[in-house]
């Protein structure tokens, strides 16, 4: 979960990392008021993406009238698709030098890593490519302390002026502490600014927290920081799935993927591609979904106009194929299926699943009209091929 700049800065302040004293504004008049009070200011678009500076989303204004004019433009701006609804108004910094400071997780090494550079303000990826020698990286075991001498060592290598080594080290330690305290995935200050008055101050924040640990951080809710924030990056269907607790991603193709777990989902994706098809989504039913949830998963696929056929592949492990079949029937009765569907059940209770379908078909052939179902006798290759064929027949290609 990504935080807005102003939210990240609230966390910085809480840990004693110096930040400019800013104000949020949602209208050009509010911007005028803020700049009248603050004086020369930076107007910063609050959107959940980086590169705002390059996209024209960060402006400097000397007075309130100029600020209002600039704000008018900023509020009309979309940055990488994100509309600008709020501006953070901060006293303009007189910049002597810009540094980069970040903490993230090195997933390959199972370590935390502090990344620092005397080349701040620019894309760190760009620096990493062009002049890797200008980047300092230091790894720490997940639970290892960050000692002051480590922080001092990093600060020295960042090339801060001699009298700034101690303040820089202190910011490094605070950022590291914050990273751990909030179960972050990444925290970044870019740029960490050295002002002409000789002060180090966090001019930007980028903070990404682990969604799965939000329950441990009630104070975030009190600060108005809630899960809504990544919604900007989700499609309406992904949002709906998320609110039903279904891991779901929209893709570009036309075959609705209705697999068992994530592993089967990935494999199904490969099979569909192998036979010349394109999945419309990725979905994971999670361990042991109840029939009601299975039904909701199918609604997502059937309501998607891009979907021309549905591929269902269930391997009953923890979950049971009879629950799966029951879920499909709930969906067929309550919602109805508008696309052809081919599916296969193997594993835990698959025979019972097939029996439930056969019975339903006997009782009400119309209900099962668009469903082709198979058990372990039909290889997954056949099911995949058939799904691609059905999608092509149904107007996709
Ligand atoms: P980003 O482009 O989304 O990372 O947004 P930043 O907050 O990092 O702003 C981009 C650039 O604008 C920074 O690298 C700075 O050079 C500049 N900038 C940001 N705030 C100020 C400020 O208060 N004063 C001055 N002079 N420049 C600023
Ligand atoms: Mn930045």
């Amino acid at each position: 979960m990504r935080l807005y700049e102003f939210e990240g800065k609230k966390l910085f302040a809480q840990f004693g990392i110096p930040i400019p004293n800013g104000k949020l504004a949602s209208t050009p008049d509010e911007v005028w008021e803020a700049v009248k009070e603050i004086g020369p200011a930076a107007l910063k678009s609050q959107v959940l993406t980086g590169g705002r500076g390059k996209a024209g989303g960060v402006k400097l204004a000397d007075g309130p009238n100029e600020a209002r004019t600039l704000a008018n433009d900023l509020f009309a701006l979309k940055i990488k698709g994100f509309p600008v609804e709020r501006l953070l108004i901060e006293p303009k910094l007189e910049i002597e030098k810009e540094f980069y400071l970040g903490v993230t997780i090195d997933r390959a090494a199972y370590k935390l890593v502090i990344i620092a550079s005397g080349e701040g303000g620019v894309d760190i990826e760009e620096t990493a490519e062009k002049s890797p020698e200008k980047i300092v990286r230091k790894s720490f075991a997940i639970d290892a302390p960050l000692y002051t001498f480590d922080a001092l060592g990093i600060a020295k290598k960042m090339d801060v002026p001699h009298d700034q080594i101690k303040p820089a080290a202190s910011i490094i330690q605070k950022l590291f502490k914050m990273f751990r305290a909030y179960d972050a995935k990444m925290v970044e200050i870019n740029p960490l600014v050295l002002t002409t008055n000789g002060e180090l101050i966090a001019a930007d924040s980028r903070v990404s927290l682990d969604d799965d640990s939000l329950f441990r951080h009630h104070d975030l809710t009190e600060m108005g920081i809630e899960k809504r924030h990544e919604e900007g990056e989700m499609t309406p269907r992904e949002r709906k799935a998320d609110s039903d607790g279904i891991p779901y991603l929209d893709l570009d193709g036309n075959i609705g993927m209705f697999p068992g777990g994530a592993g089967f989902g990935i494999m199904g994706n490969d099979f569909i591609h192998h036979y010349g098809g394109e999945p419309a989504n990725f979905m994971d039913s999670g361990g042991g979904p109840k029939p009601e949830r299975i039904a909701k998963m199918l609604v997502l696929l059937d309501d998607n106009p891009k979907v021309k056929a549905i591929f269902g592949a269930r391997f009953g492990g923890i979950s049971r194929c009879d629950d799966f079949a029951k879920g499909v029937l709930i969906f067929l009765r309550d919602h109805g299926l508008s696309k052809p569907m081919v599916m296969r059940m193997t594993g835990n209770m698959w025979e019972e699943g097939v029996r439930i379908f056969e019975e339903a078909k006997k009782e009400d052939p119309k209900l099962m009209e668009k469903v082709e179902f198979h058990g372990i006798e039909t290889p997954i290759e056949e099911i995949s091929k058939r799904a691609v064929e059905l999608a092509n027949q149904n107007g996709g290609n």
Side-chain angles (χ1 to χ4, degrees):
M1 172 174 107
R2 178 139 183 194
L3 305 194
Y4 287 100
E5 177 189 4
F6 75 93
E7 293 173 334
K9 281 177 167 170
K10 272 190 204 169
L11 298 187
F12 286 177
Q14 201 179 305
F15 283 78
I17 298 170
I19 57 162
N21 191 2
K23 269 200 159 84
L24 273 184
S26 340
T27 64
D29 285 340
E30 282 175 24
V31 172
W32 188 90
E33 287 285 339
V35 175
K36 189 161 187 311
E37 195 183 315
I38 289 174
L43 319 184
K44 311 188 70 181
S45 304
Q46 297 301 290
V47 287
L48 295 174
T49 179
R52 294 164 305 163
K54 268 189 203 161
V58 178
K59 301 280 183 206
L60 301 175
D62 283 327
N65 291 334
E66 187 191 358
R68 180 156 49 194
T69 309
L70 288 169
N72 261 314
D73 294 342
L74 287 171
F75 282 126
L77 197 65
K78 270 196 176 178
I79 301 175
K80 296 183 191 162
F82 295 97
V84 177
E85 285 163 355
R86 285 176 294 188
L87 297 177
L88 177 63
I89 314 298
E90 290 180 340
K92 182 168 136 188
L93 301 172
E94 295 307 329
I95 299 179
E96 173 82 30
K97 189 169 159 54
E98 296 177 303
F99 300 89
Y100 174 95
L101 189 58
V103 185
T104 188
I105 299 168
D106 179 345
R107 287 169 198 279
Y110 295 101
K111 288 193 164 174
L112 302 185
V113 51
I114 297 178
I115 302 169
S117 175
E119 300 270 303
V122 293
D123 230 339
I124 192 71
E125 284 84 5
E126 223 174 281
T127 314
E129 213 164 275
K130 283 188 194 148
S131 22
E133 75 285 353
K134 288 186 176 147
I135 295 182
V136 192
R137 293 172 61 100
K138 194 157 169 58
S139 300
F140 295 86
I142 297 290
D143 52 357
L146 170 64
Y147 292 113
T148 305
F149 68 82
D150 282 324
L152 286 168
I154 296 167
K156 274 180 199 157
K157 288 193 193 142
M158 272 167 88
D159 247 354
V160 292
H162 193 75
D163 58 337
Q164 295 296 335
I165 289 176
K166 269 194 185 164
S170 156
I171 292 174
I172 293 169
Q173 281 182 299
K174 286 165 180 163
L175 193 66
F176 196 73
K177 197 167 160 196
M178 175 186 142
F179 182 96
R180 280 214 178 115
Y182 278 100
D183 298 305
K185 293 194 287 192
M186 113 100 121
V187 297
E188 193 181 83
I189 308 177
N190 187 26
L192 173 67
V193 160
L194 175 63
T195 64
T196 47
N197 307 335
E199 278 171 317
L200 280 171
I201 186 161
D204 189 12
S205 87
R206 179 167 164 194
V207 175
S208 192
L209 306 179
D210 187 341
D211 286 18
D212 292 333
S213 73
L214 290 183
F215 73 96
R216 304 211 291 200
H217 305 294
H218 294 289
D219 54 324
L220 290 176
T221 320
E222 280 152 32
M223 292 164 77
I225 300 175
E226 285 179 342
K227 204 173 167 203
R228 63 192 150 90
H229 291 322
E230 236 151 2
E231 284 190 4
E233 294 162 15
M234 289 188 189
T235 68
R237 202 171 303 107
E238 287 166 349
R239 250 195 324 260
K240 178 160 193 326
D242 189 57
S243 71
D244 287 336
I246 301 167
Y248 177 96
L249 273 182
D250 266 324
L251 300 172
D252 292 332
N254 60 19
I255 298 177
M257 303 297 285
F258 177 50
F264 220 114
I266 295 165
M267 193 191 71
N269 192 313
D270 285 349
F271 268 115
I272 293 295
H273 274 112
H274 181 75
Y275 290 106
E278 283 275 352
N281 67 288
F282 176 81
M283 182 156 63
D284 173 8
S285 62
K290 294 282 159 278
E292 289 70 25
R293 194 153 114 148
I294 299 274
K296 280 183 179 160
M297 291 166 67
L298 278 169
V299 170
L300 285 172
L301 303 185
D302 198 69
D303 285 355
N304 181 354
K306 275 169 86 176
V307 169
K308 300 299 176 199
I310 296 174
F311 163 91
R314 188 80 210 170
F315 172 76
I318 299 169
S319 58
R320 303 162 42 141
C321 290
D322 54 336
D323 278 346
F324 182 67
K326 283 178 200 158
V328 173
L329 289 183
I330 293 177
F331 162 78
L332 291 173
R333 291 188 179 121
D334 292 356
H335 185 278
L337 178 66
S338 68
K339 339 240 153 134
M341 172 156 87
V342 57
M343 47 186 295
R344 173 185 192 248
M345 288 173 285
T346 58
N348 192 6
M349 304 290 279
W350 75 269
E351 283 154 308
E352 179 63 8
V354 170
R355 197 192 60 75
I356 289 172
F357 277 150
E358 272 165 357
E359 206 162 277
K361 193 171 173 177
K362 237 184 270 164
E363 257 173 42
D364 183 358
K366 191 116 184 54
L367 185 75
M368 297 294 287
E369 195 179 42
K370 291 196 159 70
V371 185
E372 299 174 13
F373 56 93
H374 303 262
I376 200 163
E377 74 290 343
T378 315
I380 188 73
E381 287 86 346
E382 294 304 316
I383 308 292
S384 314
K385 252 192 257 180
R386 182 67 183 144
V388 176
E389 204 174 274
L390 287 170
N392 289 343
Q393 284 169 11
N394 192 27
N397 54 46

